[in-house]
Amino acid sequence: MSFARRVAHPPLSRNTNGNTNNNGTAGGSRAPSRPTSRSNLQLAFINAGVNTSGQAGGGSNSESSSIDDAFNRAIAPASPSKERTRMLGIRSDGVGGTHFKQKGDEESNIQVVVRVRGMAPGEAPPLQPILSTSGPHCSSINVAMETQQSASSVNVAANSVQSSLVGDGGNVRERSYPFDHVFGPEADQGMVYQSVVGPVLNEVMNGYNCTVFAYGQTGTGKTHTMEGDLTSQLGTYSPEAGIIPRTLYRLFHTLELSKDEYSVHATFVELYNEELRDLLSDEAPQPLGGGKDSSGLRMYEDKGKGVNIQGLEDIPMRDAEHGLRLLRKGSQKRHIAATRCNESSSRSHCVFTLTIHIKETTSKGEDVLRTGKLNLVDLAGSENIGRSGAENKRAREAGMINQSLLTLGRVINALVEKSSHIPYRESKLTRLLQESLGGRTKTCIIATVSSERSNMEETLSTLDYALRAKSIRNRPEVNQRMTRAALIKEYVHEIERLKGDLLASREKKWNISIA
């Protein structure tokens, strides 16, 4: 999943002594108030100067002028500034999305984690819990089932991945599901982060694109797991903070200690009723339902570079606290409503993306950029409309959510069965997750489930899908380290593409006005 964005970049942050403040965050320059037409990658490389042959040089005035002229020619016809910044959406996923194969890069299974919903403060424990685990952190989960509901063995996935039914000598059988990690209801937020997402963040900083997404029935704790408490306490995250806040603080702390130059950018997009919406945009929300142009965002597939979203705000972050404020800002705009199943039910899917650029020097003394990207996805929950009491608008929302999740299930089944056709294009959700499911990304799925017997059907469905997803094989590839010459080549190509798009747009408007 790749995003072509409107960009607003400050200078690349530089660490001089590796010190951090008490909360472990890094400082940096204040972001400009208006989007600019330059990526901070240029500040690191282009301002250093290159000659036309691609060799590092002293940065002659003629070379800098020619680059400036190229950018000015590309954006000069655009008016007003809103159109200009929207059209100039320089990609930053691996700086153009190019990849190369390294020794050790090979196919690997998607990591699948299960988390059992814990009890909220003041909430009574379930009378007949159906789920059991051997402690707060283990590798399997058991589902207590009545005898008439069970069989001696159930094969729920391909490639010999199975669940099994274990007898206890009574009228109840237990179906056992093995996973990479299983967290019981007593597991806290920190345990989930340290065991699952901490290692993923290390891979991102090594130059990989990674995705973590939460999947499950409505009301089972997906948003709590991904976001949790978004307040800050004593200069750091809350004890109930979820994966995203903890990732922000851990990321900036690690970058500050590394003494490398770096930059971190964030996007936050919502998929509501199959329409995309930018949650970080300062523009007034447009009414949804008007087709692909109603939100100003356009999804398209760039050959060899994956799916892009053009027109999406790309915000440079100064430190973890700034990132947390952006997360709160976007979360407040998200579509949420109360149902019988969940007082704060998410009515949309959301993707919070961090793109990290780190400058490093090769053994030959050449400066290159290492780029990694982390997609943190909070999916809306599957919903039984009859039980949730959804009507009218809420029923339509639930129908769209269930439809997109059904498509996700079909994609998982097709990948496991190695089908010749994978139905990615049947939903915008699966198009967004295309690289994360069977693509070049390292992926982790966190399946959230409930211990309530009344949720037995949904719980079994979630566990079955999660078990099947364990058989999906991705082909993770490290992003190419970009040199100055390669970076400029990418920008020249992007400029030409944007000029073509702008010309086509103007011709279309001209033809409409004549008609």
Side-chain angles (χ1 to χ4, degrees):
M1 178 168 41
S2 305
F3 298 145
R5 307 178 175 96
R6 294 178 289 181
V7 292
H9 299 288
L12 201 69
S13 301
R14 182 178 180 85
N15 299 321
T16 56
N17 53 20
N19 295 329
T20 61
N21 56 26
N22 291 335
N23 64 11
T25 63
S29 303
R30 180 174 297 275
S33 59
R34 297 178 58 191
T36 65
S37 60
R38 287 297 186 87
S39 167
N40 63 331
L41 300 175
Q42 296 169 295
L43 298 177
F45 287 161
I46 295 179
N47 288 343
V50 295
N51 57 34
T52 55
S53 65
Q55 298 175 338
S60 68
N61 293 334
S62 61
E63 291 162 1
S64 298
S65 298
S66 63
I67 295 170
D68 288 336
D69 291 343
F71 273 92
N72 292 334
R73 285 195 302 271
I75 66 173
S79 180
S81 59
K82 176 181 177 182
E83 180 183 0
R84 178 179 305 172
T85 55
R86 178 162 293 170
M87 292 298 293
L88 195 64
I90 304 298
R91 291 170 51 92
S92 57
D93 58 320
V95 194
T98 53
H99 300 266
F100 69 95
K101 201 79 169 177
Q102 281 193 343
K103 184 177 180 180
D105 286 347
E106 57 186 14
E107 285 192 355
S108 61
N109 288 80
I110 285 179
Q111 184 183 40
V112 180
V113 176
V114 170
R115 186 180 190 185
V116 181
R117 181 186 183 277
M119 291 182 295
E123 187 178 45
L127 296 178
Q128 292 182 307
I130 60 172
L131 302 178
S132 62
T133 61
S134 56
H137 185 194
C138 55
S139 59
S140 65
I141 185 171
N142 298 324
V143 185
M145 305 181 66
E146 296 177 357
T147 305
Q148 59 267 29
Q149 291 179 302
S150 49
S152 59
S153 177
V154 180
N155 186 340
V156 295
N159 299 331
S160 299
V161 179
Q162 296 182 341
S163 69
S164 60
L165 293 173
V166 181
D168 62 356
N171 294 326
V172 176
R173 295 291 184 270
E174 285 192 344
R175 180 183 293 181
S176 181
Y177 290 83
F179 292 102
D180 296 291
H181 298 275
V182 173
F183 296 96
E186 62 271 44
D188 59 22
Q189 299 278 61
M191 183 182 295
V192 175
Y193 177 82
Q194 292 293 339
S195 302
V196 178
V197 187
V200 172
L201 182 59
N202 293 335
E203 297 286 6
V204 173
M205 297 186 67
N206 287 331
Y208 285 93
N209 293 343
C210 301
T211 297
V212 178
F213 70 86
Y215 170 89
Q217 177 193 2
T218 183
T220 53
K222 295 180 299 300
T223 301
H224 175 70
T225 298
M226 297 304 297
E227 295 184 2
D229 186 354
L230 298 183
T231 61
S232 59
Q233 299 180 8
L234 302 176
T236 187
Y237 52 78
S238 163
E240 289 301 313
I243 286 172
I244 302 178
R246 291 172 186 269
T247 297
L248 290 172
Y249 280 89
R250 171 73 176 274
L251 171 63
F252 277 96
H253 178 71
T254 304
L255 289 172
E256 188 69 19
L257 292 178
S258 70
K259 300 183 180 181
D260 294 324
E261 294 184 42
Y262 66 87
S263 68
V264 181
H265 308 265
T267 63
F268 201 3
V269 64
E270 174 186 55
L271 180 59
Y272 174 73
N273 286 350
E274 283 296 293
E275 292 198 25
L276 296 168
R277 181 172 173 233
D278 190 348
L279 295 179
L280 296 183
S281 175
D282 290 327
E283 299 175 7
Q286 298 294 320
L288 295 176
K292 67 178 182 180
D293 296 325
S294 62
S295 64
L297 302 181
R298 183 171 68 93
M299 183 186 295
Y300 66 95
E301 191 161 355
D302 195 354
K303 185 177 181 181
K305 298 180 181 180
V307 175
N308 300 299
I309 300 177
Q310 189 173 30
L312 191 62
E313 283 280 5
D314 178 47
I315 307 296
M317 294 190 297
R318 299 185 294 274
D319 51 37
E321 182 63 32
H322 182 208
L324 195 59
R325 289 197 299 272
L326 291 176
L327 181 60
R328 284 197 296 265
K329 171 185 175 181
S331 296
Q332 290 169 359
K333 296 181 179 179
R334 187 176 180 183
H335 286 81
I336 296 175
T339 68
R340 292 176 187 170
C341 298
N342 189 358
E343 292 182 357
S344 300
S345 174
S346 300
R347 316 306 291 172
S348 63
H349 311 297
C350 282
V351 183
F352 186 83
T353 300
L354 295 171
T355 304
I356 301 106
H357 304 293
I358 302 174
K359 182 181 176 182
E360 60 183 22
T361 303
T362 66
S363 58
K364 297 181 180 179
E366 185 178 25
D367 289 337
V368 295
L369 274 183
R370 181 172 75 247
T371 301
K373 187 166 65 172
L374 177 59
N375 302 305
L376 299 164
V377 186
D378 180 16
L379 299 179
S382 58
E383 184 174 316
N384 184 312
I385 296 178
R387 289 180 57 195
S388 68
E391 297 178 351
N392 302 323
K393 180 180 179 181
R394 298 290 168 247
R396 179 173 181 268
E397 291 170 348
M400 297 295 284
I401 291 169
N402 290 339
Q403 183 61 42
S404 62
L405 293 176
L406 284 172
T407 303
L408 176 61
R410 287 196 295 271
V411 167
I412 291 174
N413 288 337
L415 287 168
V416 171
E417 295 166 2
K418 302 186 184 303
S419 172
S420 59
H421 171 69
I422 312 297
Y424 291 118
R425 301 184 68 86
E426 291 184 9
S427 169
K428 286 185 179 179
L429 173 62
T430 48
R431 289 191 70 192
L432 285 172
L433 296 177
Q434 182 169 340
E435 280 299 305
S436 304
L437 298 170
R440 297 187 295 252
T441 299
K442 293 194 174 186
T443 301
C444 174
I445 299 175
I446 302 178
T448 58
V449 292
S450 168
S451 284
E452 295 281 356
R453 182 163 293 278
S454 60
N455 295 322
M456 170 76 81
E457 182 180 352
E458 291 86 351
T459 295
L460 289 176
S461 176
T462 298
L463 291 174
D464 287 346
Y465 271 120
L467 199 58
R468 290 187 70 82
K470 277 176 59 67
S471 297
I472 296 176
R473 306 281 290 179
N474 280 6
R475 302 175 303 280
E477 296 179 9
V478 68
N479 292 322
Q480 181 180 1
R481 269 68 165 170
M482 297 294 291
T483 62
R484 292 190 182 100
L487 180 60
I488 291 179
K489 183 178 180 181
E490 289 283 346
Y491 280 135
V492 169
H493 173 75
E494 186 73 10
I495 288 169
E496 293 302 317
R497 187 186 67 79
L498 292 172
K499 287 169 68 176
D501 290 347
L502 183 60
L503 180 60
S505 177
R506 291 194 160 195
E507 289 179 349
K508 181 178 179 180
K509 291 181 180 178
W510 174 257
N511 293 334
I512 292 175
S513 63
I514 292 178

